[in-house]
Amino acid sequence: MTDQTVVVRDLRDAPHFFDAVADRIWRAWWEPHGFPLSHITGLLQQSLAEEAESLCLVAHVEDRFVGTASVIASDLEERPDLTPWVAAVWVDPPFRGAGIGGDIVLKAAHAALDTGAEAVHLCALPGKRAFYERLGWRLDEKDVGTDRLDVFSMRRA
Ligand SMILES: CC(C)(COP(=O)(O)OP(=O)(O)OC[C@H]1O[C@@H](n2cnc3c(N)ncnc32)[C@H](O)[C@@H]1OP(=O)(O)O)[C@@H](O)C(=O)NCCC(=O)NCCS
């Protein structure tokens, strides 16, 4: 970790981090399923163009990428009625355990709620349950889909 200040910004305001964000999302969630990097760069570009519905946050220290989280319309095919979602939460390993992941998740959730949504949703493997519950997410469902995911929500205060 570093003593330097971590800044969290909308990726639209820091587009030079686009490639780093796409790389991390691809490696974590898409490459293991055989998708090419171009698949996720396309999706990310599309999500940035859809101003009202999608958001991608990037955390950085000066020019160094630190982490990311997104707000997207749909993240779980078993729950097509729920929207929006916080998704693709990632912090680079050297920066983990210092509160950055928690901070970026909450900033993404609050940004989603600020657009007028009554609730924002998130799905995760059960191993992350303590992390999200500690941040104030409500566990709504367990064992959803073949990955047996937890589904959480956060509501406007
Ligand atoms: C999950 C992930 C985003 C967390 O990022 P992070 O920056 O380490 O998150 P935080 O630092 O906010 O919290 C992590 C842990 O550190 C603890 N922590 C937070 N601030 C701390 C501090 N100042 N000092 C010590 N520990 C701290 C938290 O309590 C939390 O503990 P827990 O794991 O027992 O819940 C990160 O591990 C990651 O990118 N993992 C791979 C991708 C992934 O799994 N994404 C989530 C998909 S649902």
Side-chain angles (χ1 to χ4, degrees):
M1 242 319 266
T2 170
D3 290 336
Q4 292 170 294
T5 307
V6 178
V7 178
V8 178
R9 294 160 79 190
D10 188 324
L11 183 59
R12 294 182 184 100
D13 299 327
H16 50 294
F17 288 109
F18 182 95
D19 288 347
V21 170
D23 172 78
R24 298 325 188 270
I25 294 174
W26 177 63
R27 286 180 196 278
W29 293 288
W30 295 88
E31 185 187 26
H33 299 288
F35 288 86
L37 176 60
S38 58
H39 182 77
I40 186 58
T41 55
L43 283 180
L44 194 55
Q45 267 158 358
Q46 198 182 330
S47 84
L48 294 179
E50 293 165 3
E51 301 233 350
E53 286 209 332
S54 303
L55 175 74
C56 178
L57 296 180
V58 57
H60 62 96
V61 173
E62 296 183 340
D63 282 338
R64 184 164 176 193
F65 171 87
V66 171
T68 184
S70 291
V71 177
I72 58 176
S74 181
D75 195 34
L76 189 60
E77 66 180 39
E78 288 85 356
R79 295 293 176 271
D81 48 320
L82 300 181
T83 191
W85 296 75
V86 172
V89 179
W90 175 270
V91 172
D92 270 2
F95 295 95
R96 289 181 188 169
I100 297 166
D103 182 51
I104 200 167
V105 164
L106 289 181
K107 282 192 164 82
H110 292 152
L113 294 173
D114 284 349
T115 65
E118 282 301 318
V120 57
H121 308 275
L122 183 148
C123 58
L125 291 167
K128 293 285 182 298
R129 190 176 298 164
F131 171 68
Y132 289 115
E133 288 191 320
R134 202 171 300 150
L135 291 170
W137 289 84
R138 187 181 82 183
L139 180 61
D140 292 328
E141 288 187 85
K142 299 178 193 176
D143 291 332
V144 178
T146 48
D147 292 331
R148 310 192 66 176
L149 297 172
D150 287 346
V151 179
F152 299 88
S153 65
M154 188 173 280
R155 274 148 217 287
R156 271 197 274 169

